[in-house]
């Protein structure tokens, strides 16, 4: 991203997180592929969504490395803690 970097990262990550919370592995894989996502563990995340049938999926924590370091969103890494109940 070249403009509104922080906002666009949050939107990009938020869209992926929303798909995970909806437990739609096919949509998650498509989103990652279509958007050239660098999300680590895309296939394992999709497999978990395919195999696990939780009653609830909850985003427990989300932040980027820029949130807790120097604020350089152009060179940041995002972290999301998602719990499958």
């Amino acid at each position: 991203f070249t403009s509104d970097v922080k906002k666009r990262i949050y939107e990009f990550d938020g869209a992926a997180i929303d798909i995970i919370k909806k437990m739609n592995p096919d949509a998650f894989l498509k989103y990652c592929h279509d958007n050239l996502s660098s999300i680590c563990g895309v296939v394992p995340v999709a497999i978990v969504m395919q195999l696990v049938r939780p009653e609830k999926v909850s985003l427990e924590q989300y932040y980027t490395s820029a949130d807790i370091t120097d604020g350089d969103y152009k060179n940041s890494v995002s972290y999301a803690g998602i719990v499958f109940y």
Side-chain angles (χ1 to χ4, degrees), residues 11 13-24 59 82:
E11 290 171 350
D13 293 342
I17 291 166
D18 286 344
I19 295 168
I20 293 169
K21 289 172 66 178
K22 292 176 183 168
M23 295 297 292
N24 189 334
L59 174 64
I82 300 172

Side-chain angles (χ1 to χ4, degrees), residues 47-61:
I47 290 170
V48 168
M49 286 192 285
Q50 186 69 37
L51 296 177
V52 176
R53 297 292 176 219
E55 292 181 23
K56 181 180 177 184
V57 180
S58 174
L59 174 64
E60 296 297 315
Q61 182 76 34

Side-chain angles (χ1 to χ4, degrees), residues 27-79:
F28 178 68
L29 291 170
K30 182 175 179 4
Y31 179 81
C32 292
H33 178 267
D34 291 352
N35 293 286
L36 302 174
S37 172
S38 62
I39 295 172
C40 295
V42 169
V43 173
V45 171
I47 290 170
V48 168
M49 286 192 285
Q50 186 69 37
L51 296 177
V52 176
R53 297 292 176 219
E55 292 181 23
K56 181 180 177 184
V57 180
S58 174
L59 174 64
E60 296 297 315
Q61 182 76 34
Y62 170 81
Y63 61 91
T64 72
S65 58
D67 295 329
I68 59 172
T69 59
D70 59 5
D72 180 9
Y73 288 92
K74 289 187 178 185
N75 295 298
S76 67
V77 176
S78 301
Y79 303 91

